[in-house]
Amino acid sequence: MSAEGAEPGPGSRPGPGPEPGPLCPEHGQALSWFCRSERRPVCAACAGLGGRCRGHRIRRAEERAEELRNKIVDQCERLQLQSAAITKYVADVLPGKNQRAVSMASAARELVIQRLSLVRSLCESEEQRLLEQVHGEEERAHQSILTQRVHWAEALQKLETIRTSLVGMLTHLDDLQLIQKEQEIFERTEEAEGILDPQESEMLNFNEKCTRSPLLTQLWATAVLGSLSGTEDIRIDERTVSPFLQLSDDRKTLTFRTKKSKACADGPERFDHWPNALAATSFQNGLHAWMVNVQNSCAYKVGVASGHLPRKGSGSDCRLGHNAFSWVFSRYDQEFRFSHNGQHEPLGLLWGPAQLGVLLDLQAQELLFYEPASGTVLYTHHGSFPGPVFPVFAVADQTISIVR
């Protein structure tokens, strides 16, 4: 017999313990031992040398009961922690999700109304359609949050029911009754483990993409660039101009030169290798637009850059579109692309625009490149623009000029 506790002897007598329980039907003795091989209580005779459990793994019944008690205590602690986590999620996270969905829906609604107000006579039906989509998305997010509330309320109720049941077993059952309930304990524990913890889900977030419309974007760009009040008086900051560029007296035209100028005084703001230049004006919020004449150049970059863009050296950290600090539309011969952080997206244009319009909407976190002559939106980028950003320019062939 393999005994994990003390082996019962022929003259063993039970010591003081709980009230007498069921007796062994074969020997009429108290079921004071537990056979792990057969997973049932047995008496000392069954566990002895001539008993049916000879050679089995045997331990005292009270030790097995104590093991089950510890297991229940551990499980109850885990259930309590899980319940606390779910309660915190329901109390702290879901209200924030709901508020954020409402807030983002409100911002999206204002964005749609603001843009459509410029071209209301042309797109009343588009306004209605988009507002319905915003409302539908808000309702969807709200319904998802309500569904989550119901789901986690049910989960909390189920966990509490399981915990109450386990605590009841722990406090009201004697050793043998507890052992006989082992399967039920296992099932309860397994049922609790089947309740997963809350996970982040996009279904709980408002999807701001519902406000995106090619028609709205094109009409909005036309209206903004067609209005003098919608464009900025952009001028180049001469302190930033590369020695490979020449700046006009009005600080609006950049001309590429093949040889590095020795007349430029070096300073911390100046680009010393790449033919770049920043505007003197920076933006932190609001809507901004400017136009650049690019018809004379077959190699240029136009866009925006963070003030943190490095200026010194020939590395990619100073090269426009090759780092996280710059977002540019570029042309090299007949190749057009949008570049940011080393990611280059070919645009597949069949012609080179004579003028390039740039719209920066920091409220919507949107950068748009536009050709005024054809009314074509060339590219739209949605993303975060941290800190103040500056209009940025680079030219490696002929000249480019800020129109207004």
Side-chain angles (χ1 to χ4, degrees):
M1 173 179 72
S2 172
E4 297 181 14
E7 180 179 344
S12 297
R13 293 188 178 184
E19 292 294 324
L23 301 178
C24 174
E26 183 177 349
H27 302 99
Q29 298 182 18
L31 300 173
S32 56
W33 295 83
F34 179 76
C35 176
R36 295 188 65 119
S37 301
E38 297 186 2
R39 304 198 64 79
R40 68 182 184 88
V42 296
C43 70
C46 290
L49 294 177
R52 59 181 296 172
C53 294
R54 178 184 178 184
H56 292 182
R57 298 168 63 198
I58 302 296
R59 66 184 309 178
R60 292 187 177 278
E62 60 265 26
E63 292 177 358
R64 176 58 178 165
E66 183 62 23
E67 180 182 283
L68 290 175
R69 285 192 179 90
N70 293 335
K71 184 176 181 181
I72 292 175
V73 169
D74 291 343
Q75 184 59 40
C76 288
E77 290 176 352
R78 283 193 293 269
L79 292 175
Q80 188 172 6
L81 291 174
Q82 185 179 14
S83 296
I86 293 175
T87 300
K88 180 177 176 61
Y89 177 82
V90 172
D92 298 344
V93 177
L94 291 185
K97 292 286 186 183
N98 190 58
Q99 183 60 38
R100 179 169 173 77
V102 171
S103 175
M104 292 184 70
S106 176
R109 188 178 295 109
E110 290 175 5
L111 176 64
V112 171
I113 294 174
Q114 177 189 14
R115 289 187 173 181
L116 284 172
S117 66
L118 298 174
V119 288
R120 188 170 300 279
S121 61
L122 300 177
C123 55
E124 286 290 343
S125 60
E126 184 74 351
E127 178 185 20
Q128 184 63 33
R129 183 184 72 84
L130 289 172
L131 289 177
E132 288 175 357
Q133 285 191 181
V134 170
H135 178 72
E137 176 60 18
E138 181 182 13
E139 287 295 310
R140 183 209 59 75
H142 183 63
Q143 188 60 44
S144 295
I145 292 170
L146 289 178
T147 301
Q148 283 279 297
R149 287 183 181 277
V150 172
H151 171 77
W152 291 116
E154 293 175 351
L156 284 171
Q157 181 61 44
K158 185 178 290 187
L159 288 173
E160 182 59 28
T161 300
I162 295 171
R163 182 175 177 275
T164 300
S165 175
L166 292 175
V167 170
M169 292 181 189
L170 186 65
T171 56
H172 297 107
L173 299 184
D174 61 27
D175 292 356
L176 292 178
Q177 290 173 327
L178 193 63
I179 293 172
Q180 290 166 352
K181 291 283 187 177
E182 182 175 0
Q183 181 61 29
E184 183 178 344
I185 294 170
F186 172 78
E187 291 173 355
R188 290 284 188 173
T189 301
E190 193 173 57
E191 182 181 4
E193 291 173 350
I195 300 175
L196 302 179
D197 293 333
Q199 300 293 325
E200 176 63 28
S201 171
E202 285 299 320
M203 294 297 291
L204 300 178
N205 298 327
F206 181 88
N207 182 5
E208 57 189 343
K209 291 182 180 179
C210 69
T211 64
R212 297 180 186 175
S213 160
L215 173 62
L216 172 59
T217 299
Q218 188 156 333
L219 291 172
W220 171 71
T222 303
V224 173
L225 286 174
S227 169
L228 288 176
S229 62
T231 58
E232 308 286 336
D233 181 20
I234 303 296
R235 297 179 187 271
I236 305 297
D237 184 348
E238 58 187 350
R239 299 173 303 169
T240 69
V241 177
S242 164
F244 288 100
L245 298 178
Q246 179 178 338
L247 180 64
S248 63
D249 291 340
D250 65 0
R251 294 164 48 208
K252 288 197 171 188
T253 299
L254 291 168
T255 302
F256 178 70
R257 48 189 173 195
T258 56
K259 293 186 178 180
K260 189 174 184 179
S261 172
K262 297 180 180 179
C264 294
D266 193 19
E269 298 89 358
R270 191 177 305 281
F271 294 95
D272 67 355
H273 179 82
W274 297 106
N276 304 338
L278 289 176
T281 306
S282 66
F283 309 118
Q284 287 187 291
N285 49 58
L287 172 63
H288 309 277
W290 58 98
M291 292 175 59
V292 184
N293 188 332
V294 293
Q295 63 181 339
N296 295 325
S297 179
C298 290
Y300 62 81
K301 295 179 180 180
V302 174
V304 297
S306 165
H308 300 296
L309 177 68
R311 316 295 170 86
K312 307 302 182 183
S314 59
S316 295
D317 58 338
C318 303
R319 191 177 182 186
L320 299 185
H322 289 254
N323 49 66
F325 304 110
S326 54
W327 301 257
V328 293
F329 175 99
S330 67
R331 174 182 181 179
Y332 182 76
D333 198 12
Q334 294 304 309
E335 178 183 314
F336 301 87
R337 63 188 185 181
F338 173 80
S339 300
H340 169 61
N341 204 20
Q343 301 297 314
H344 312 288
E345 186 168 346
L347 303 184
L349 302 184
L350 300 178
W351 69 93
Q355 289 188 336
L356 187 63
V358 184
L359 276 75
L360 176 64
D361 190 342
L362 290 171
Q363 176 188 348
Q365 294 289 285
E366 182 175 336
L367 176 65
L368 183 148
F369 298 95
Y370 180 82
E371 187 190 28
S374 64
T376 302
V377 175
L378 303 176
Y379 188 80
T380 303
H381 173 75
H382 297 271
S384 176
F385 300 95
V389 292
F390 296 76
V392 69
F393 312 88
V395 57
D397 174 62
Q398 302 298 318
T399 67
I400 60 173
S401 300
I402 302 169
V403 179
R404 65 174 188 264

